Amino acid sequence: MARKVRTEEEDAQIDMTPMLDVVFIMLIFFIVTTVFVKEAGIEVNKPDADQATMRKNANIFVAITDDGSVWLDKREVSVDSVRANIERLLTEQPTDYVIIQADVKAKHGTVVKVMDQIKAAGVDRISVAARG
C-alpha cells in the first residue's frame, strides 16, 4: 500500500469579502433609516408650565423669538413661507408632530399665524414647547 505524503503544507485562508459586504450593507441600512431632527436653529426663552410633557417622536421644530422672527431648519423664514418649508421637510421626512418653540414674550398673533401655516401644510398635531 502506497501512502501519499504531502510535501507542502497548504495555508488555510479566510475570505473576508462576504463579511465586509454584510457590514457595508448594514451601515447603509442604518444610515438610510436614521431619523434626523430638524432643529429650529435658535434658542428661545420658553414659558414655564407645570403640566409640560415631552414628545419623543417629533422631529420638526419651529422657533418664534420675542421680536416675532420665525426660525425653521436653522434659518430665519417669513411667516408666509412656513407652509412651503414644512411641506418640503415633510417630503424629506414624514412626521406626525411639529413643535413650536415660542419665546415667552412672543406675540400670540404670530404664534397663531405659524400654527395656521403648519396646519395648512398637512400637520394636525402641533405642540407648543414649555419648560416643565
Side-chain angles (χ1 to χ4, degrees), residues 57-77:
N57 58 350
N59 55 6
I60 298 177
F61 292 84
V62 180
I64 303 171
T65 62
D66 56 351
D67 64 351
S69 61
V70 179
W71 287 74
L72 179 63
D73 198 17
K74 297 183 178 133
R75 60 191 173 89
E76 188 174 358
V77 297

Side-chain angles (χ1 to χ4, degrees), residues 77-122:
V77 297
S78 68
V79 175
D80 296 330
S81 67
V82 169
R83 176 183 179 175
N85 282 291
I86 293 288
E87 287 173 346
R88 177 182 55 83
L89 293 174
L90 287 174
T91 58
E92 292 174 10
Q93 190 171 355
T95 184
D96 294 337
Y97 285 97
V98 172
I99 294 183
I100 297 177
Q101 299 171 322
D103 192 275
V104 68
K105 294 182 182 178
K107 293 186 178 175
H108 181 71
T110 306
V111 175
V112 170
K113 286 178 187 175
V114 170
M115 289 175 77
D116 282 343
Q117 290 287 314
I118 294 170
K119 281 198 176 267

Side-chain angles (χ1 to χ4, degrees), residues 30-39 58-61 89 92-93:
F30 287 124
I31 289 172
V32 169
T33 59
T34 302
V35 175
F36 296 102
V37 177
K38 301 294 183 182
E39 290 287 337
N59 55 6
I60 298 177
F61 292 84
L89 293 174
E92 292 174 10
Q93 190 171 355

Side-chain angles (χ1 to χ4, degrees), residues 1-2 8 20-21 24 35 37 42 51 56 64 101 120 125 128-129:
M1 218 171 23
E8 267 183 56
L20 289 175
D21 289 345
F24 282 124
V35 175
V37 177
I42 192 168
Q51 302 298 318
K56 297 278 185 194
I64 303 171
Q101 299 171 322
R125 297 179 175 184
V128 178

